[in-house]
């Protein structure tokens, strides 16, 4: 970040109140999202190692199919927040509605691709002969819920941009409780196995989407915003999301490469990797709560023409990110004897996961900086830089990860490569934040 005088105490406290007011509810909502996968892992894991390995591959594929369109939330949050800062609520909500219509179109397109190609996709990512049937079943069923998942992303972006993070918290908690109950009932009570887990998640996601749509539609009517699809608005939303799509595709490629490498190391390794990835996602989403606050706060400051406020908020949020990363890392170290048995009774899987689990803990302060600066730059609408930085990160990570099966080191070596990836992201984001080039004021960038 550019050099600036120390933030006055009163200003720091004001930023802290803003960050807490937005980040705490966002934290709950974001933590609930990976808990969907963790609940699935905990329930399916006791069916057997092959089922857990199949879930590992399939859930990574579903997460990728949804997360590549995370710009529906991120770009919408930034754009709506800028309009809020400029005092134009009607235009803010109208922009959000365009994002929701785009989500429905994209979700339909994804289903049309995933359903017929599911077996080939599973094979492409190296699932073993024992795990592949379970992976295919889970992938096909859960794909039916993708349109609802994308609507949840877009509607969440609208509410975050409006500085309303409590509603997403309530919806996410309700969705998690429903998902866990449905999974347990359908997997064991109805004896549907891994298919029951997928159906439970689909039903829960559809319920969440219905609640979000009700809230956003009421807001649109209150402020006189049109609910009809607008081709120009949908096209503009898609164009604004292209840089973030490139950024997200690069990130998802990193995670899919890691999953594919782990799958080729063996069933115990991919099962352990699934457990670690679930934890890593949980920790990442927790840190991302500050980033979500950053998107909304930075967008609002820039929309209101307050460059100094945006700069000061950025500095304070980075401090929050570092402190949160240290705390989370320590929690992982302290709770590791309790964490692994929760997901598997297989001692081979537990022993494989333990060294890499310590790497996850050590890397958390770095992750805190990465997620906060990522959110700040998204809030500023600095998508093109984020896209380029992530492509560079992918170019460094891919050869390092793909060499793991050849050079040895197993799952631990793979997570060394993951830690390297986060360090590169931190460097690229820190350089951009220091330059100050992300600070562009106005209702639109």
């Amino acid at each position: 970040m550019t050099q600036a005088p120390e933030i006055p105490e009163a200003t720091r406290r004001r930023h802290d109140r803003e960050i807490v007011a937005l980040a705490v509810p966002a934290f709950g909502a974001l933590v609930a999202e990976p808990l969907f996968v963790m609940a699935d892992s905990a329930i399916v894991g006791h069916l057997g190692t092959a089922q857990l390995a199949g879930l590992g591959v399939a859930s990574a594929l579903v997460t990728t199919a949804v997360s590549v369109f995370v710009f529906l939330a991120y770009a919408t949050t930034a754009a709506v927040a800028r309009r809020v800062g400029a005092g134009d609520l009607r235009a803010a909500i109208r922009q959000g509605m365009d994002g929701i219509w785009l989500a429905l179109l994209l979700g339909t397109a994804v289903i049309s691709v995933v359903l017929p190609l599911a077996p080939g996709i599973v094979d492409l990512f190296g699932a073993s002969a024992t795990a592949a049937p379970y992976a295919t079943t889970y992938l096909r069923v859960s794909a039916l819920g993708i349109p609802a998942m994308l609507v949840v992303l877009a509607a969440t972006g609208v509410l975050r941009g409006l500085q309303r993070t409590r509603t997403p918290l309530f919806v996410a908690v309700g969705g998690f409780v429903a998902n866990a109950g449905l999974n347990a009932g359908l997997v064991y009570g109805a004896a549907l196995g891994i298919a029951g887990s997928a159906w439970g998640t689909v039903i829960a996601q559809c319920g969440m989407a219905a609640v979000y749509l009700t809230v956003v539609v009421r807001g649109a009517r209150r402020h006189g915003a049109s609910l009809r699809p607008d081709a120009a608005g949908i096209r503009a939303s898609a164009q604004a999301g292209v840089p973030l799509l490139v950024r997200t595709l690069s990130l998802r490629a990193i995670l899919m490469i890691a999953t594919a490498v782990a799958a080729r190391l063996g069933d115990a390794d991919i099962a352990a990797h699934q457990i670690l990835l679930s934890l890593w996602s949980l920790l990442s989403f927790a840190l991302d709560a500050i980033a979500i606050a950053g998107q909304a706060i930075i967008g609002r400051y820039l929309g209101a023409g307050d460059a100094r406020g945006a700069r000061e908020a950025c500095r304070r949020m980075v401090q929050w990110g570092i402190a949160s990363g240290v705390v989370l890392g320590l929690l992982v170290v302290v709770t590791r004897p309790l964490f692994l048995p929760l997901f598997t009774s297989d001692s081979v899987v537990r022993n494989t996961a333990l060294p890499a689990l310590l790497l996850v803990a050590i890397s958390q302060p770095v992750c805190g900086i990465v997620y906060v600066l990522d959110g700040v730059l998204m809030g500023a609408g600095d998508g093109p830089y984020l896209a380029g930085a992530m492509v560079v990160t992918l170019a460094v990570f891919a050869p390092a990860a793909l060499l793991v099966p050849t050079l040895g080191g197993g799952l631990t070596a793979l997570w060394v490569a993951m830690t390297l990836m986060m360090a590169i992201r931190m460097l690229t984001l820190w350089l951009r934040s220091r330059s100050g080039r992300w600070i562009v004021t106005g209702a639109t960038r």
Side-chain angles (χ1 to χ4, degrees), residues 222-267:
R222 184 165 56 251
H223 293 286
S226 174
L227 298 174
R228 296 179 180 179
D230 176 68
I234 294 172
R235 185 167 55 253
S237 295
Q239 290 172 347
V242 168
L244 291 181
L245 177 60
V246 173
R247 170 252 181 209
T248 303
L249 284 172
S250 299
L251 177 58
R252 296 313 306 180
I254 288 170
L255 298 180
M256 294 309 298
I257 288 171
T259 298
V261 170
R264 284 168 172 78
L265 294 175
D267 279 2

Side-chain angles (χ1 to χ4, degrees), residues 2-141:
T2 55
Q3 293 295 323
E6 183 68 24
I7 303 174
E9 179 67 21
T11 302
R12 185 163 58 248
R13 289 180 179 177
R14 175 167 55 82
H15 286 313
D16 287 347
R17 287 193 296 270
E18 281 190 313
I19 293 168
V20 170
L22 291 172
V24 170
F27 172 83
L30 290 168
V31 167
E33 293 179 23
L35 285 177
F36 274 70
V37 177
M38 293 183 75
D40 290 0
S41 299
I43 293 170
V44 172
H46 292 285
L47 293 174
T49 298
Q51 287 90 334
L52 182 59
L55 175 66
V57 173
S59 64
L61 289 166
V62 173
T63 301
T64 297
V66 174
S67 295
V68 293
F69 302 116
V70 74
F71 70 84
L72 291 167
Y74 291 160
T76 302
T77 297
V80 171
R82 276 185 178 265
R83 295 286 189 180
V84 169
D88 192 349
L89 290 177
R90 180 177 180 180
I93 296 177
R94 175 63 257 182
Q95 200 155 16
M97 287 303 305
D98 291 334
I100 290 173
W101 281 110
L102 178 61
L104 289 170
L105 292 174
L106 292 173
T108 302
V110 171
I111 287 180
S112 68
V113 172
V114 171
L115 287 182
L117 299 180
I121 296 173
V122 168
D123 289 341
L124 178 64
F125 284 91
S128 68
T130 55
Y134 297 111
T136 301
T137 296
Y138 188 93
L139 179 59
R140 276 181 164 159
V141 175

Side-chain angles (χ1 to χ4, degrees), residues 231 339 369:
F339 177 77
I369 297 173

Side-chain angles (χ1 to χ4, degrees), residues 109-189:
V110 171
I111 287 180
S112 68
V113 172
V114 171
L115 287 182
L117 299 180
I121 296 173
V122 168
D123 289 341
L124 178 64
F125 284 91
S128 68
T130 55
Y134 297 111
T136 301
T137 296
Y138 188 93
L139 179 59
R140 276 181 164 159
V141 175
S142 59
L144 299 175
I146 287 177
M149 296 178 195
L150 297 188
V151 168
V152 167
L153 285 178
T156 299
V158 177
L159 295 176
R160 288 173 180 168
L162 293 171
Q163 323 289 297
R164 292 178 56 186
T165 55
R166 290 187 179 182
T167 301
L169 169 61
F170 297 146
V171 176
V173 170
F176 167 71
V177 172
N179 177 71
L182 288 166
N183 267 256
L186 294 174
V187 170
Y188 296 113

